[in-house]
Amino acid sequence: MTQAPHEPQSPYMTPGEGPAPGQGQGPLGRLAQSAWQAVLLMGVASVILGLLVLIWPGASLRVAGVMFGVYLLVSGIFQLVAAFGTNATAGMRVIGFISGALSVLLGLFCFRDAMESTLLLALWIGIGWLFRGITQTVAAASDPAMPARGWQIFLGVITGLAGVVLIVSPFETLAVLTLVTGIWLLVVGVVEIGSSFAVRKRAKDIPAGV
């Protein structure tokens, strides 16, 4: 009677024990495994945040106003420290000091009243959209070789007009913007959750060791 050849065992495995889950995965497999989990978490977070914004729009605006105040306060402090600690010229230091001081004052102003912080947030977003729309429109109009030039001009004009509307009617526009943001977060979250399962399915097709 011939004896079956002895199969060498891995030093990391006990007799009768199979490979641990994910042990045969290579770098690409581990990356894909982590990717679908991260996308799933982001999708769930987006859905939860979107639902919270849609259910409590007023509270969401107040929280956004407070976070905006924190941002102004922290950025202002950093600007003040940079104004005193850099080797820039005297003129740049003065500009940095004034900008930092105004940012700190506006940040403290946000903590005084929730409505005032919301108003500042709306004006900040409106001014940012206005300048971005102007810049995008001018850049697209002055560069004939820009890809999708017509769409770039159109988006620039729309962004600039949205900024003007937000500056003129901040509270009404912010209410609509909050509703749109909640719906957008909800849709993005659902899409990301669906994408995560698609990535997971593709990850299973990756050969072991790859």
Side-chain angles (χ1 to χ4, degrees), residues 144-205:
M146 177 177 290
R149 183 187 179 199
W151 282 109
Q152 294 291 338
I153 295 175
F154 175 75
L155 290 176
V157 172
I158 294 297
T159 304
L161 291 176
V164 172
V165 172
L166 193 53
I167 293 172
V168 174
S169 303
F171 291 112
E172 295 82 357
T173 310
L174 265 185
V176 176
L177 186 62
T178 304
L179 179 63
V180 173
T181 301
I183 296 174
W184 177 79
L185 286 171
L186 199 59
V187 172
V188 169
V190 172
V191 171
E192 286 181 339
I193 291 174
S195 301
S196 68
F197 288 108
V199 173
R200 181 188 181 187
K201 184 178 180 181
R202 292 291 184 88
K204 292 181 178 179
D205 296 335

Side-chain angles (χ1 to χ4, degrees), residues 7-90:
E7 295 182 359
Q9 295 181 350
S10 170
Y12 302 100
M13 294 173 55
T14 58
E17 182 184 4
Q23 185 175 352
Q25 286 184 337
L28 184 58
R30 290 192 294 269
L31 180 62
Q33 188 74 13
S34 302
W36 81 263
Q37 294 173 355
V39 174
L40 178 63
L41 288 176
M42 289 189 296
V44 172
S46 296
V47 169
I48 294 175
L49 185 58
L51 289 175
L52 291 176
V53 170
L54 291 176
I55 295 173
W56 294 292
S60 302
L61 279 177
R62 287 191 291 271
V63 171
V66 172
M67 295 302 295
F68 179 62
V70 172
Y71 162 74
L72 288 177
L73 189 61
V74 173
S75 63
I77 292 174
F78 275 107
Q79 289 179 23
L80 289 176
V81 172
F84 286 106
T86 60
N87 296 323
T89 61

